[in-house]
Amino acid sequence: MTAAGDHSRALVAGSDRVRRRRLAAARVVAGGLGLALLLGTMVSPAVADDVTNVVPVGAQPSAVAVNAVTNRAYIATGDGVSVLDGSTSSGLLYTGDRPVDVAVNSATNKVYVSEIGGSVAVVDGATRAVTSVAVGASPGVVAVNEPNNKIYVGVQSGLAIIDGATNAVKTVALANGAQDIVVNSATSKAYVLSGGTLRVLDASGTVKTTINIGAGGILAVAVNEATNKVYFTTLGRYGASVRVVDGITDEVTGTVPFDQFVGKVAVDPATNKIYVAADSTSIEGYVKVLNGQTLTEIASYVTPTRITDLAVNPGADKAYALMGGRGVTVVDGASGKVSGLFTGQEPVDAAVNSSTGMVYVANNGSASVSVIAGSAAAPVKNDFNGDSFSDVLARDSSGVLWLYPGNGVGGWLPRVQVGVGWNVMTALVSPGDFNGDSHPDVLARDSAGALWLYPGNGSGGWLPRSQVGVGWNSMTAIIGSGPFFGDGNPDVMARDSSGTLWRYRGDGQGGWLSRAWAGSGWNGMSEITGVADFNGDGVSDIAARDSSGALWLYPPNGIGGWLSRQNIGQGWNSMNSLVGPGDFDGDGRADILARNAAGELWLYSGAGGSVWPSASRVGTGWNGMTAIL
């Protein structure tokens, strides 16, 4: 049997490593099943994003700011303000008095921290010397105008404006305080959200205009300095909308109505795209993308939860939507693709260093900051030949194992034989990169119940196998679930004869951590399969079909448990094999492949959340295969 020796191999350790993608030319041979309807050439993969580090920063981080000049990030936590040099912790900037918000003036290298006790701490970024400036009761949001060195602080009585040169304070009375502040540094105007109204302040700090839409009020505000336009979201008596303010006249000049409730808004000044967080009728949400010139919707993306905040990287044409509960949805504006990244529990704020492409996400519930590298491609599930596209493995009745390389757009390149003698195996699963070398692997159970790891070599072949378990013949189903936790290490689920589902947590090095109970009553499911990150929250999901043919999505919560299951389809009892290859059609969403009794292979393209996938036939003649993974 090919690649079935008893040799052991050195495993690459490092659960905190930065994953690397290696490109290799796919080996092509003639022949095959004659089953590819979409046989075609390979397209180039887009540059993706990946979480490259998770840094503990102190209790309940609430805000993050970045100095792009020094490449330092500052995080307000319950313990003080933490500093990251790039992606490495540099300890505490200072302890502080329960910091609320943080902002940076990169021109002066000063950090401004609002403290709950009534002051703003002005910290020298080089020496870490601290000066306390009294601003008034309950200081909150902080914004900096670098050109004129003014710092705006929301307080209970309205607004405090600090002169960055002298630390002198000017106060602006606003009956409802200041919930958000956005500065246009090109015009030195400040836009202050106060009690559902928008106050426009000139460079001197004088309120020149008040924009009031009446009942419902203004929810969030963003500015495009390049076009001198201001955008705000509303929930007024006439319905939800995004409205446009001309930065010269301070008058509303346009409205985009929405059927859904809307919230946060962000603008990419480089592309003039407007990103709007919208709610669905369920737990899910949307990222709506508008053309800032025509005020028309150009894209809409489903997110698995509602969105709590938005950040934009203008240099990369990307937007980052923080999801309620956990994770970030990344929208690539250039390719139109989306991806989900698990960052931690309860992400509350994000800041982008456009010079490096790094994104810093403060996770309030995980006491951490996750660092996203905009140029680090995330691992691709089932990319056995190293071209960054998801592939399929299939075993025929004679025991030959075939690799069907995906072309990145839902079709196939010519198949390649990658093994013989695989009919001795009673179960085959593809959990992902099980041994930590950045290449996807296969786990196989033989008739004696031994479990074998077949490490992929990244170019369509195998390294020597190793035994990683015994006694697995007691399991009625083995599922390569992918990373069930938020640590990026693939795990395995297994159902025993009593219907109990067990979670076998991978250690990221080809071995196991302790198994744990994952549920009971699973013997009512006729098929269970891992479907990668189907709902787009950055954690791999399980799909299971019940006896009535309903297909259910079981999303993990990233810390070892489950979220509520969701129905994603009916009538699936006509299918005799379900496979989760990852993103097979190249749109950034995980898909499902299913074979029916006629041997047709169907691609069910995921759309994020629990949206029922759309189907298209991608092959015939697959009834000759005894295993598909």
Side-chain angles (χ1 to χ4, degrees):
M1 181 173 180
T2 300
D6 292 329
H7 307 290
S8 62
R9 61 185 296 265
L11 300 178
V12 179
S15 60
D16 60 345
R17 67 191 178 278
V18 177
R19 295 180 181 267
R20 299 179 298 275
R21 303 303 308 149
R22 301 175 183 174
L23 299 181
R27 292 183 296 149
V28 177
V29 298
L33 284 175
L35 46 74
L37 298 182
L38 299 177
L39 186 64
T41 58
M42 187 170 61
V43 298
S44 298
V47 175
D49 296 71
D50 197 14
V51 175
T52 58
N53 203 12
V54 179
V55 184
V57 292
Q60 296 181 317
S62 59
V64 57
V66 172
N67 186 334
V69 175
T70 63
N71 194 26
R72 286 185 171 178
Y74 300 92
I75 303 95
T77 78
D79 300 324
V81 176
S82 292
V83 186
L84 269 64
D85 279 321
S87 60
T88 305
S89 176
S90 186
L92 279 174
L93 181 71
Y94 84 115
T95 53
D97 179 18
R98 291 174 291 173
V100 179
D101 196 16
V102 58
V104 178
N105 187 333
S106 60
T108 63
N109 195 19
K110 288 186 178 180
V111 184
Y112 296 88
V113 186
S114 58
E115 300 179 322
I116 199 168
S119 62
V120 166
V122 182
V123 188
D124 188 296
T127 66
R128 302 196 178 191
V130 181
T131 301
S132 183
V133 179
V135 292
S138 303
V141 61
V142 182
V144 173
N145 184 353
E146 290 192 358
N148 67 7
N149 199 13
K150 296 290 180 64
I151 298 87
Y152 301 83
V153 186
V155 293
Q156 187 175 29
S157 61
L159 189 69
I161 305 174
I162 303 173
D163 186 307
T166 65
N167 287 336
V169 178
K170 172 182 178 178
T171 59
V172 179
L174 300 173
N176 295 297
Q179 291 76 55
D180 198 8
I181 306 167
V182 176
V183 174
N184 185 339
S185 60
T187 63
S188 289
K189 284 186 176 181
Y191 300 87
V192 181
L193 184 60
S194 176
T197 66
L198 188 63
R199 307 297 179 95
V200 184
L201 281 67
D202 64 14
S204 69
T206 302
V207 177
K208 304 298 292 185
T209 306
T210 297
I211 299 174
N212 189 346
I213 66 165
I218 297 171
L219 303 175
V221 60
V223 64
N224 186 340
E225 294 185 355
T227 62
N228 197 15
K229 301 290 185 183
V230 182
Y231 302 90
F232 62 81
T233 53
T234 73
L235 188 59
R237 66 176 67 186
Y238 303 111
S241 68
V242 172
R243 301 194 189 184
V244 188
V245 177
D246 185 286
I248 298 175
T249 64
D250 297 330
E251 295 180 352
V252 176
T253 59
T255 300
V256 182
F258 281 89
D259 294 332
Q260 304 97 339
F261 291 159
V262 293
K264 294 293 184 177
V265 58
V267 180
D268 187 336
T271 63
N272 200 17
K273 292 176 182 175
I274 308 160
Y275 294 88
V276 184
D279 293 345
S280 72
T281 56
S282 64
I283 64 172
E284 296 164 349
Y286 294 94
V287 177
K288 302 285 187 176
V289 188
L290 306 179
N291 182 309
Q293 182 176 2
T294 63
L295 296 182
T296 56
E297 183 176 309
I298 56 177
S300 178
Y301 304 101
V302 178
T303 58
T305 69
R306 295 182 179 181
I307 298 166
T308 59
D309 204 359
L310 287 165
V312 170
N313 185 349
D317 193 8
K318 291 181 179 179
Y320 300 83
L322 277 61
M323 296 180 283
R326 68 211 177 277
V328 173
T329 293
V330 183
V331 178
D332 188 318
S335 67
K337 296 181 180 181
V338 294
S339 58
L341 296 175
F342 180 84
T343 59
Q345 299 296 322
E346 299 177 38
V348 292
D349 195 27
V352 178
N353 186 339
S354 57
S355 297
T356 64
M358 294 288 191
V359 183
Y360 300 86
V361 180
N363 306 302
N364 187 272
S366 299
S368 65
V369 165
S370 295
V371 183
I372 301 172
S375 58
V380 178
K381 187 179 188 296
N382 277 32
D383 174 25
F384 291 101
N385 63 2
D387 62 3
S388 294
F389 302 124
S390 294
D391 309 316
V392 171
L393 291 171
R395 180 186 63 190
D396 65 26
S397 58
S398 66
V400 175
L401 192 66
W402 296 93
L403 171 65
Y404 290 86
N407 67 0
V409 289
W412 310 95
L413 301 175
R415 73 175 185 172
V416 182
Q417 182 176 321
V418 293
V420 295
W422 285 74
N423 47 6
V424 301
M425 296 298 177
T426 58
L428 299 173
V429 296
S430 54
D433 174 22
F434 191 73
N435 65 2
D437 64 358
S438 297
H439 304 309
D441 309 312
V442 167
L443 290 169
R445 179 186 63 188
D446 64 24
S447 57
L451 193 66
W452 297 90
L453 169 65
Y454 289 84
N457 66 4
S459 57
W462 311 100
L463 300 174
R465 74 173 185 173
S466 60
Q467 186 173 334
V468 293
V470 295
W472 284 75
N473 46 6
S474 63
M475 298 297 176
T476 60
I478 302 174
I479 305 102
S481 64
F484 186 83
F485 288 78
D487 58 6
N489 297 327
D491 306 311
V492 171
M493 298 284 182
R495 180 186 61 189
D496 64 24
S497 57
S498 71
T500 299
L501 192 68
W502 296 94
R503 182 181 69 246
Y504 290 83
R505 188 173 181 181
D507 65 2
Q509 303 175 53
W512 308 97
L513 303 174
S514 299
R515 79 168 186 175
W517 177 87
S520 300
W522 285 77
N523 46 9
M525 297 297 176
S526 57
E527 183 141 8
I528 312 170
T529 189
V531 289
D533 179 21
F534 188 82
N535 67 353
D537 63 358
V539 185
S540 293
D541 306 312
I542 295 293
R545 179 185 61 197
D546 64 24
S547 57
S548 70
L551 191 66
W552 297 91
L553 183 70
Y554 290 83
N557 63 8
I559 53 176
W562 301 96
L563 301 173
S564 299
R565 73 174 187 173
Q566 298 166 298
N567 183 224
I568 57 172
Q570 300 287 347
W572 285 74
N573 44 11
S574 63
M575 299 296 177
N576 56 35
S577 181
L578 303 180
V579 184
D583 175 23
F584 190 73
D585 59 6
D587 63 356
R589 303 290 199 180
D591 307 313
I592 298 173
L593 289 170
R595 180 187 64 187
N596 62 20
E600 296 172 328
L601 194 66
W602 289 83
L603 170 65
Y604 289 85
S605 181
S610 61
V611 176
W612 289 20
S614 57
S616 60
R617 193 175 67 169
V618 294
T620 59
W622 285 76
N623 45 9
M625 296 298 175
T626 59
I628 306 172
L629 60 154

